[in-house]
Amino acid sequence: MSGPSVRDVRAFWEGNPVAAAAVPYEPGSPAFFEYFDRLREEHEPARLSRRLHEYDEFGARRVLDVGCGNGYVLSRYARAGAEVVGIDVTSTAVDLSRRRFALDRLAGRFLVGSAEELPFPTDAFDCVCSMGVLHHTPNTERAFGELRRVLRPGGLLIVMLYHRHSAVYWRLRLRSRRGGRAVEDLVNEVDGVGNPKGDVYTRAELRTLLDGLEDVRCSVAYLRGLPIGGRHFPPRAILRPFASRWGWNLYGKARKPVASP
């Protein structure tokens, strides 16, 4: 039995924009973006985002976000003066990103397309990022190859995937054993029932995907307790020391080698 296609992935995310089900406001409204940003910064605090993305290092340089969602990351690069381009598999995401940029009076270019076949020339961008996206595309290895291709020599690649050695994955494995469902199906449903593709990776597997790049750095973050009575237990303050080992977000940063003369 073959796996999902890019068309299958597109169909799901067209109807289920990232985190939109958790936001009690009209998608594209100012209140929607404000609420979404607070939710995102609960699991990726602004200080972590600044350290990870190095926004201020890319003023007046070209930045591509593959799977731009609703433009959160790219808007931070744009505010720092970068020339930004966002691509997403869905027109819904592209429309939301354009709306965010219009509300914030920022300049950016957005288009619909697949991470597996980027419509850009080789060596086109100083920074390429893709956050929580590439584990959803049918051919993740091919998508990583495309990100490497469009990144200029010396440029920075930043990605986030889901982490296999995480508390979330362990809980899903326990549910799988108790309920008789495949753990792969439960991983898919982290992002909503009907999601056709999700996956988890170890640090070693991420390093393999980043093969051919240099100065590779991997890190882990975001550990949250179980929901009990409308709150999470244990509290995040108690879990914080363990997030760098058992968190759900697996980050990778690397540079494309500069060719020898």
Coordinates of all heavy atoms in Angstrom, one line a residue, residues 113-199:
G113 N 3.2 26.0 -3.3 CA 4.1 25.0 -3.9 C 4.5 24.0 -2.9 O 4.3 24.1 -1.7
S114 N 5.2 22.9 -3.4 CA 5.6 21.8 -2.6 C 7.0 21.9 -2.1 O 7.9 22.3 -2.9 CB 5.4 20.5 -3.3 OG 6.0 19.4 -2.7
A115 N 7.3 21.5 -0.9 CA 8.7 21.5 -0.4 C 9.5 20.5 -1.2 O 10.8 20.6 -1.3 CB 8.7 21.0 1.1
E116 N 8.9 19.5 -1.9 CA 9.6 18.5 -2.6 C 10.1 19.0 -4.0 O 10.8 18.3 -4.7 CB 8.8 17.3 -2.7 CG 8.5 16.6 -1.4 CD 7.7 15.4 -1.5 OE1 7.7 14.7 -2.6 OE2 7.0 15.0 -0.5
E117 N 9.6 20.2 -4.4 CA 9.9 20.7 -5.8 C 9.8 22.2 -5.7 O 8.9 22.8 -6.2 CB 8.9 20.1 -6.8 CG 9.3 20.3 -8.2 CD 8.5 19.6 -9.2 OE1 7.6 18.8 -8.8 OE2 8.6 19.8 -10.5
L118 N 10.8 22.8 -5.1 CA 10.8 24.3 -4.9 C 11.1 25.0 -6.2 O 12.0 24.7 -7.0 CB 11.9 24.6 -3.9 CG 11.7 24.1 -2.5 CD1 12.9 24.5 -1.6 CD2 10.4 24.6 -1.9
P119 N 10.2 26.0 -6.5 CA 10.3 26.7 -7.8 C 11.3 27.9 -7.8 O 11.0 29.0 -8.2 CB 8.9 27.2 -8.0 CG 8.4 27.5 -6.6 CD 9.0 26.4 -5.8
F120 N 12.5 27.6 -7.3 CA 13.5 28.6 -7.1 C 14.9 28.1 -7.7 O 15.1 26.9 -7.7 CB 13.7 29.0 -5.6 CG 12.5 29.4 -4.9 CD1 12.0 28.5 -3.9 CD2 11.8 30.5 -5.2 CE1 10.8 28.8 -3.2 CE2 10.6 30.8 -4.5 CZ 10.1 30.0 -3.6
P121 N 15.7 29.1 -8.1 CA 17.0 28.6 -8.7 C 17.9 28.1 -7.6 O 17.7 28.4 -6.4 CB 17.6 29.9 -9.3 CG 16.8 31.0 -8.6 CD 15.5 30.5 -8.3
T122 N 18.9 27.4 -7.9 CA 19.9 26.9 -7.0 C 20.7 28.1 -6.4 O 20.9 29.1 -7.0 CB 20.9 26.0 -7.7 OG1 20.2 24.9 -8.2 CG2 22.0 25.5 -6.8
D123 N 21.1 28.0 -5.1 CA 21.9 29.0 -4.4 C 21.1 30.4 -4.3 O 21.8 31.4 -4.5 CB 23.2 29.2 -5.0 CG 24.0 27.9 -5.1 OD1 23.7 26.9 -4.4 OD2 25.0 27.8 -5.9
A124 N 19.8 30.4 -4.1 CA 19.1 31.6 -4.2 C 18.9 32.3 -2.9 O 18.6 33.5 -2.9 CB 17.7 31.3 -4.8
F125 N 19.1 31.7 -1.7 CA 18.7 32.3 -0.4 C 19.9 32.2 0.6 O 20.6 31.2 0.6 CB 17.5 31.6 0.2 CG 16.2 31.8 -0.7 CD1 15.9 30.8 -1.6 CD2 15.4 32.9 -0.5 CE1 14.7 31.0 -2.4 CE2 14.3 33.1 -1.3 CZ 14.0 32.1 -2.3
D126 N 20.0 33.2 1.4 CA 21.0 33.3 2.5 C 20.5 32.5 3.7 O 21.4 32.0 4.4 CB 21.2 34.8 2.9 CG 21.7 35.6 1.8 OD1 22.8 35.4 1.4 OD2 20.9 36.5 1.3
C127 N 19.2 32.3 3.9 CA 18.7 31.5 5.0 C 17.5 30.8 4.5 O 16.6 31.4 3.8 CB 18.4 32.4 6.2 SG 17.6 31.5 7.6
V128 N 17.4 29.5 4.8 CA 16.2 28.7 4.5 C 15.7 28.1 5.8 O 16.5 27.4 6.5 CB 16.5 27.7 3.4 CG1 15.2 26.8 3.2 CG2 16.9 28.3 2.1
C129 N 14.5 28.3 6.1 CA 13.9 27.6 7.3 C 12.7 26.9 7.0 O 12.0 27.1 6.0 CB 13.7 28.6 8.5 SG 12.4 29.9 8.1
S130 N 12.4 25.9 7.9 CA 11.1 25.1 7.7 C 10.8 24.5 9.1 O 11.5 23.6 9.6 CB 11.3 24.0 6.7 OG 10.1 23.3 6.4
M131 N 9.8 25.0 9.7 CA 9.5 24.7 11.1 C 8.3 23.8 11.3 O 7.1 24.3 11.0 CB 9.3 26.0 11.9 CG 10.4 27.1 11.6 SD 12.1 26.4 11.8 CE 12.1 26.1 13.5
G132 N 8.5 22.6 11.7 CA 7.3 21.7 11.9 C 6.6 21.3 10.6 O 5.4 21.1 10.7
V133 N 7.3 21.2 9.5 CA 6.7 21.0 8.2 C 7.2 19.7 7.5 O 6.3 18.9 7.0 CB 7.0 22.2 7.3 CG1 6.5 21.9 5.9 CG2 6.3 23.4 7.9
L134 N 8.5 19.5 7.5 CA 9.0 18.4 6.6 C 8.7 17.0 7.0 O 8.8 16.1 6.2 CB 10.5 18.6 6.5 CG 10.9 20.0 5.9 CD1 12.5 20.0 5.8 CD2 10.3 20.3 4.6
H135 N 8.3 16.8 8.3 CA 7.8 15.5 8.7 C 6.4 15.2 8.2 O 5.9 14.1 8.3 CB 7.8 15.3 10.2 CG 7.3 16.4 11.0 ND1 8.0 17.2 11.8 CD2 6.0 17.0 11.0 CE1 7.3 18.1 12.4 NE2 6.1 18.0 11.9
H136 N 5.8 16.2 7.5 CA 4.4 16.0 7.0 C 4.5 15.7 5.5 O 3.5 15.1 4.9 CB 3.6 17.2 7.2 CG 3.2 17.4 8.6 ND1 2.6 16.5 9.4 CD2 3.4 18.5 9.4 CE1 2.5 17.0 10.7 NE2 3.0 18.2 10.7
T137 N 5.5 16.1 4.8 CA 5.6 15.9 3.3 C 5.9 14.4 3.0 O 6.6 13.7 3.8 CB 6.6 16.8 2.7 OG1 6.3 16.9 1.3 CG2 8.0 16.4 2.9
P138 N 5.3 13.8 2.0 CA 5.5 12.4 1.7 C 6.9 11.9 1.6 O 7.3 10.9 2.1 CB 4.7 12.2 0.4 CG 3.6 13.2 0.4 CD 4.3 14.4 1.1
N139 N 7.8 12.8 0.9 CA 9.2 12.4 0.7 C 10.1 13.4 1.4 O 10.5 14.4 0.8 CB 9.5 12.3 -0.8 CG 10.8 11.7 -1.1 OD1 11.7 11.7 -0.2 ND2 11.0 11.0 -2.2
T140 N 10.3 13.2 2.7 CA 11.0 14.1 3.5 C 12.5 14.3 3.0 O 13.0 15.4 3.0 CB 11.0 13.7 5.0 OG1 9.7 13.7 5.5 CG2 11.8 14.6 5.9
E141 N 13.1 13.1 2.6 CA 14.5 13.2 2.1 C 14.6 14.1 0.9 O 15.5 14.9 0.8 CB 15.0 11.8 1.8 CG 15.2 10.9 3.0 CD 13.8 10.3 3.5 OE1 12.8 10.5 2.8 OE2 13.8 9.6 4.6
R142 N 13.6 14.0 0.0 CA 13.7 14.8 -1.2 C 13.5 16.3 -0.8 O 14.2 17.2 -1.4 CB 12.6 14.4 -2.2 CG 12.5 15.2 -3.4 CD 11.5 14.7 -4.4 NE 11.4 15.5 -5.6 CZ 10.5 15.2 -6.6 NH1 9.7 14.2 -6.6 NH2 10.5 16.0 -7.7
A143 N 12.6 16.6 0.1 CA 12.4 18.0 0.6 C 13.7 18.5 1.1 O 14.1 19.7 0.8 CB 11.3 18.0 1.6
F144 N 14.4 17.8 2.0 CA 15.7 18.3 2.5 C 16.7 18.5 1.4 O 17.4 19.5 1.4 CB 16.3 17.2 3.5 CG 15.9 17.5 4.9 CD1 14.7 17.0 5.4 CD2 16.7 18.2 5.8 CE1 14.3 17.3 6.8 CE2 16.4 18.5 7.1 CZ 15.2 18.0 7.6
G145 N 16.7 17.7 0.4 CA 17.5 18.0 -0.8 C 17.2 19.3 -1.5 O 18.1 20.0 -1.9
E146 N 15.9 19.6 -1.6 CA 15.5 20.8 -2.2 C 15.9 22.0 -1.4 O 16.4 23.1 -1.9 CB 14.0 20.8 -2.4 CG 13.6 20.1 -3.7 CD 14.0 20.8 -4.9 OE1 13.3 21.7 -5.4 OE2 15.1 20.6 -5.4
L147 N 15.8 21.9 0.0 CA 16.2 23.0 0.8 C 17.7 23.3 0.7 O 18.2 24.4 0.6 CB 15.9 22.7 2.3 CG 14.5 23.3 2.8 CD1 13.4 22.6 2.0 CD2 14.3 23.0 4.3
R148 N 18.5 22.2 0.6 CA 20.0 22.4 0.5 C 20.3 23.0 -0.9 O 21.2 23.8 -1.0 CB 20.7 21.0 0.5 CG 20.8 20.4 1.9 CD 21.8 19.3 2.0 NE 21.3 18.2 1.1 CZ 20.6 17.1 1.5 NH1 20.1 17.1 2.8 NH2 20.3 16.2 0.7
R149 N 19.5 22.6 -1.9 CA 19.8 23.1 -3.3 C 19.6 24.6 -3.4 O 20.4 25.3 -3.9 CB 18.9 22.4 -4.3 CG 19.1 22.9 -5.7 CD 18.1 22.3 -6.7 NE 16.7 22.7 -6.4 CZ 16.2 23.8 -6.8 NH1 16.9 24.7 -7.5 NH2 14.9 24.1 -6.6
V150 N 18.5 25.2 -2.8 CA 18.2 26.6 -3.0 C 19.0 27.5 -2.0 O 19.0 28.7 -2.1 CB 16.7 26.9 -2.8 CG1 15.9 26.0 -3.9 CG2 16.2 26.6 -1.4
L151 N 19.7 26.9 -1.0 CA 20.5 27.6 0.0 C 21.8 27.9 -0.7 O 22.5 27.1 -1.3 CB 20.7 26.8 1.2 CG 21.4 27.4 2.4 CD1 20.6 28.6 3.0 CD2 21.7 26.3 3.5
R152 N 22.2 29.2 -0.5 CA 23.5 29.6 -1.1 C 24.7 29.0 -0.3 O 24.5 28.7 0.9 CB 23.6 31.1 -1.2 CG 23.8 31.8 0.2 CD 24.4 33.2 0.0 NE 24.6 33.8 1.3 CZ 25.6 33.6 2.1 NH1 26.6 32.8 1.8 NH2 25.7 34.2 3.3
P153 N 25.9 28.8 -0.9 CA 27.0 28.4 -0.1 C 27.3 29.4 1.0 O 27.3 30.6 0.8 CB 28.1 28.5 -1.2 CG 27.4 28.2 -2.5 CD 26.1 28.9 -2.4
G154 N 27.5 28.9 2.2 CA 27.7 29.7 3.4 C 26.4 30.0 4.1 O 26.4 30.6 5.2
G155 N 25.2 29.7 3.4 CA 23.9 30.1 4.0 C 23.5 29.2 5.1 O 24.1 28.1 5.3
L156 N 22.5 29.6 5.9 CA 22.1 28.9 7.1 C 20.7 28.2 6.8 O 19.8 28.8 6.3 CB 21.9 29.9 8.2 CG 21.5 29.3 9.6 CD1 22.6 28.4 10.1 CD2 21.2 30.5 10.6
L157 N 20.7 26.9 7.2 CA 19.5 26.1 7.2 C 19.0 25.9 8.6 O 19.8 25.5 9.5 CB 19.7 24.8 6.5 CG 18.5 23.8 6.4 CD1 17.4 24.4 5.5 CD2 19.0 22.4 5.9
I158 N 17.7 26.1 8.8 CA 17.1 25.9 10.2 C 15.8 25.1 10.0 O 14.9 25.5 9.2 CB 16.7 27.3 10.8 CG1 17.9 28.3 10.8 CG2 16.2 27.1 12.2 CD1 17.5 29.7 11.1
V159 N 15.7 24.0 10.7 CA 14.5 23.1 10.6 C 14.0 22.7 12.0 O 14.8 22.7 12.9 CB 14.8 21.9 9.7 CG1 15.2 22.3 8.3 CG2 15.9 21.0 10.3
M160 N 12.8 22.3 12.0 CA 12.2 21.7 13.2 C 11.4 20.5 12.8 O 10.5 20.6 11.9 CB 11.4 22.6 14.0 CG 10.9 22.1 15.4 SD 9.4 21.1 15.3 CE 8.2 22.3 15.4
L161 N 11.6 19.3 13.4 CA 10.9 18.1 13.2 C 10.4 17.6 14.6 O 10.8 18.2 15.6 CB 11.8 17.0 12.6 CG 12.5 17.3 11.3 CD1 13.4 16.2 10.9 CD2 11.4 17.6 10.2
Y162 N 9.5 16.6 14.6 CA 9.1 16.0 15.8 C 10.1 15.0 16.3 O 10.7 14.3 15.5 CB 7.7 15.4 15.7 CG 6.6 16.3 15.5 CD1 5.4 15.9 14.8 CD2 6.6 17.7 15.9 CE1 4.3 16.8 14.6 CE2 5.6 18.5 15.7 CZ 4.4 18.1 15.1 OH 3.4 19.0 14.9
H163 N 10.2 14.9 17.6 CA 11.3 14.2 18.3 C 10.8 12.8 18.7 O 9.9 12.7 19.5 CB 11.8 15.0 19.5 CG 13.0 14.4 20.1 ND1 13.3 14.6 21.5 CD2 14.1 13.7 19.7 CE1 14.4 14.0 21.8 NE2 14.9 13.5 20.7
R164 N 11.5 11.8 18.3 CA 11.2 10.4 18.6 C 11.4 10.1 20.1 O 10.6 9.6 20.8 CB 11.9 9.4 17.8 CG 11.6 8.0 18.1 CD 12.4 7.0 17.3 NE 12.2 7.2 15.8 CZ 11.2 6.6 15.2 NH1 10.3 5.8 15.8 NH2 11.0 6.8 13.9
H165 N 12.6 10.6 20.6 CA 12.9 10.3 22.1 C 12.3 11.4 22.9 O 13.0 12.1 23.7 CB 14.4 10.2 22.2 CG 15.0 9.1 21.5 ND1 14.5 7.8 21.4 CD2 16.2 9.0 20.7 CE1 15.2 7.0 20.7 NE2 16.3 7.7 20.3
S166 N 11.0 11.5 22.9 CA 10.3 12.5 23.6 C 9.2 12.0 24.5 O 8.8 10.8 24.3 CB 9.7 13.5 22.6 OG 8.7 12.9 21.9
A167 N 8.8 12.8 25.5 CA 7.7 12.3 26.4 C 6.4 12.2 25.6 O 5.6 11.3 25.9 CB 7.6 13.3 27.5
V168 N 6.2 13.0 24.6 CA 5.0 12.9 23.8 C 5.0 11.6 23.1 O 3.9 10.9 23.1 CB 4.9 14.1 22.8 CG1 3.8 13.8 21.8 CG2 4.7 15.4 23.5
Y169 N 6.1 11.2 22.5 CA 6.1 9.9 21.7 C 5.9 8.7 22.6 O 5.3 7.8 22.3 CB 7.4 9.8 20.9 CG 7.4 8.6 20.0 CD1 6.5 8.6 18.9 CD2 8.2 7.5 20.2 CE1 6.5 7.5 18.0 CE2 8.2 6.5 19.3 CZ 7.3 6.5 18.2 OH 7.3 5.4 17.4
W170 N 6.5 8.8 23.8 CA 6.4 7.7 24.8 C 4.9 7.5 25.2 O 4.4 6.4 25.3 CB 7.3 7.9 26.0 CG 8.7 7.9 25.7 CD1 9.3 7.3 24.6 CD2 9.8 8.6 26.4 NE1 10.7 7.5 24.6 CE2 11.0 8.3 25.7 CE3 9.8 9.3 27.6 CZ2 12.2 8.8 26.2 CZ3 11.0 9.8 28.0 CH2 12.2 9.5 27.3
R171 N 4.2 8.6 25.4 CA 2.8 8.6 25.8 C 2.0 8.0 24.6 O 1.1 7.2 24.8 CB 2.3 9.9 26.1 CG 2.8 10.5 27.5 CD 1.9 11.6 28.0 NE 2.0 12.8 27.2 CZ 2.8 13.8 27.4 NH1 3.6 13.8 28.5 NH2 2.7 14.9 26.7
L172 N 2.4 8.3 23.4 CA 1.6 7.8 22.2 C 1.9 6.3 22.1 O 1.0 5.5 21.7 CB 2.1 8.5 20.9 CG 1.7 10.0 20.9 CD1 2.2 10.6 19.6 CD2 0.2 10.2 20.9
R173 N 3.1 5.8 22.4 CA 3.4 4.4 22.3 C 2.6 3.6 23.4 O 2.1 2.5 23.1 CB 4.9 4.2 22.5 CG 5.8 4.6 21.4 CD 7.2 4.2 21.6 NE 7.4 2.8 21.7 CZ 8.6 2.2 22.0 NH1 9.6 3.0 22.3 NH2 8.7 0.9 22.1
L174 N 2.4 4.2 24.6 CA 1.7 3.6 25.6 C 0.2 3.5 25.2 O -0.4 2.4 25.4 CB 1.8 4.4 26.9 CG 1.1 3.8 28.1 CD1 1.6 2.4 28.5 CD2 1.3 4.8 29.3
R175 N -0.3 4.6 24.6 CA -1.7 4.5 24.1 C -1.9 3.5 23.0 O -2.9 2.8 22.9 CB -2.1 5.9 23.6 CG -2.4 7.0 24.6 CD -2.8 8.3 24.0 NE -3.9 8.1 23.0 CZ -4.2 9.0 22.1 NH1 -3.5 10.2 22.0 NH2 -5.1 8.8 21.2
S176 N -0.9 3.3 22.2 CA -0.9 2.4 21.1 C -1.0 0.9 21.7 O -1.8 0.1 21.2 CB 0.3 2.5 20.2 OG 0.4 1.4 19.3
R177 N -0.2 0.7 22.7 CA -0.3 -0.7 23.3 C -1.6 -1.0 24.0 O -2.1 -2.1 23.9 CB 0.9 -0.8 24.3 CG 2.3 -0.8 23.6 CD 3.4 -0.7 24.6 NE 4.7 -0.7 23.9 CZ 5.8 -0.5 24.5 NH1 5.8 -0.2 25.8 NH2 7.0 -0.5 23.9
R178 N -2.1 0.1 24.6 CA -3.4 -0.1 25.4 C -4.6 -0.2 24.5 O -5.5 -0.9 24.7 CB -3.5 1.0 26.4 CG -2.6 0.9 27.6 CD -2.8 2.1 28.5 NE -2.0 2.0 29.7 CZ -1.9 2.9 30.7 NH1 -2.6 4.1 30.5 NH2 -1.2 2.7 31.7
G179 N -4.5 0.6 23.4 CA -5.7 0.7 22.5 C -5.7 -0.1 21.3 O -6.7 -0.2 20.5
G180 N -4.5 -0.7 20.9 CA -4.4 -1.5 19.8 C -4.3 -0.8 18.5 O -4.5 -1.4 17.4
R181 N -4.0 0.5 18.5 CA -3.9 1.3 17.3 C -2.4 1.5 17.0 O -1.6 1.5 17.9 CB -4.6 2.7 17.4 CG -6.1 2.6 17.6 CD -6.7 4.0 17.6 NE -6.4 4.6 16.3 CZ -6.4 5.9 16.1 NH1 -6.7 6.7 17.1 NH2 -6.2 6.5 14.9
A182 N -2.1 1.6 15.7 CA -0.7 1.8 15.3 C -0.2 3.2 15.9 O -0.9 4.2 15.8 CB -0.6 1.8 13.8
V183 N 1.0 3.2 16.4 CA 1.6 4.4 16.9 C 1.7 5.5 15.8 O 1.6 6.7 16.1 CB 2.9 4.2 17.7 CG1 4.0 3.7 16.7 CG2 3.3 5.4 18.5
E184 N 2.0 5.0 14.6 CA 2.1 5.9 13.5 C 0.8 6.7 13.3 O 0.8 7.9 13.0 CB 2.5 5.2 12.2 CG 3.8 4.6 12.2 CD 3.9 3.2 12.9 OE1 2.8 2.7 13.3 OE2 5.0 2.7 13.1
D185 N -0.3 6.1 13.4 CA -1.6 6.8 13.3 C -1.8 7.8 14.4 O -2.3 8.9 14.2 CB -2.8 5.8 13.3 CG -2.8 4.9 12.1 OD1 -2.2 5.2 11.1 OD2 -3.4 3.8 12.2
L186 N -1.4 7.5 15.6 CA -1.5 8.4 16.7 C -0.6 9.6 16.5 O -0.9 10.7 16.9 CB -1.2 7.7 18.0 CG -2.1 6.6 18.4 CD1 -1.7 5.9 19.7 CD2 -3.6 7.1 18.5
V187 N 0.6 9.4 16.0 CA 1.5 10.5 15.6 C 0.9 11.4 14.6 O 0.9 12.7 14.8 CB 2.9 10.0 15.1 CG1 3.7 11.2 14.6 CG2 3.6 9.3 16.2
N188 N 0.3 10.9 13.6 CA -0.5 11.7 12.6 C -1.5 12.6 13.3 O -1.6 13.8 13.0 CB -1.1 10.8 11.6 CG -0.2 10.1 10.7 OD1 1.0 10.3 10.7 ND2 -0.7 9.1 9.9
E189 N -2.2 12.0 14.2 CA -3.4 12.7 14.8 C -2.9 13.8 15.9 O -3.8 14.5 16.3 CB -4.3 11.7 15.5 CG -5.0 10.8 14.5 CD -6.0 9.9 15.1 OE1 -6.2 9.9 16.4 OE2 -6.6 9.1 14.4
V190 N -1.6 13.9 16.1 CA -1.2 15.0 17.0 C -1.6 16.3 16.3 O -1.9 17.3 17.0 CB 0.4 15.0 17.1 CG1 0.9 16.3 17.7 CG2 0.8 13.8 18.0
D191 N -1.6 16.4 15.0 CA -2.0 17.6 14.3 C -3.5 17.5 13.7 O -3.8 18.3 12.9 CB -1.1 17.8 13.1 CG 0.3 18.2 13.6 OD1 0.4 19.4 14.0 OD2 1.2 17.4 13.6
G192 N -4.2 16.6 14.2 CA -5.6 16.5 13.9 C -6.0 15.2 13.2 O -5.3 14.6 12.5
V193 N -7.2 14.8 13.6 CA -7.8 13.5 13.0 C -7.9 13.7 11.5 O -8.4 14.7 11.0 CB -9.1 13.2 13.6 CG1 -9.7 12.0 12.9 CG2 -9.0 12.9 15.1
G194 N -7.4 12.7 10.7 CA -7.4 12.8 9.3 C -6.1 13.3 8.7 O -5.9 13.2 7.5
N195 N -5.1 13.7 9.5 CA -3.8 14.1 9.0 C -3.2 12.9 8.4 O -3.0 11.9 9.0 CB -3.0 14.7 10.1 CG -1.6 15.0 9.6 OD1 -1.4 15.4 8.5 ND2 -0.6 14.9 10.5
P196 N -2.8 12.9 7.1 CA -2.3 11.7 6.4 C -0.9 11.4 6.7 O -0.4 10.3 6.4 CB -2.5 12.1 4.9 CG -2.4 13.5 4.9 CD -3.0 14.0 6.1
K197 N -0.1 12.3 7.2 CA 1.4 12.1 7.4 C 1.9 12.9 8.5 O 1.8 14.1 8.5 CB 2.1 12.4 6.1 CG 3.6 12.4 6.2 CD 4.2 11.0 6.2 CE 5.7 11.0 6.5 NZ 6.6 11.8 5.7
G198 N 2.5 12.2 9.5 CA 3.4 12.8 10.5 C 4.5 11.8 10.8 O 4.4 10.6 10.4
D199 N 5.6 12.3 11.3 CA 6.7 11.4 11.6 C 7.5 11.9 12.7 O 7.4 13.1 13.1 CB 7.5 11.2 10.3 CG 8.1 9.8 10.2 OD1 8.2 9.1 11.3 OD2 8.6 9.4 9.1

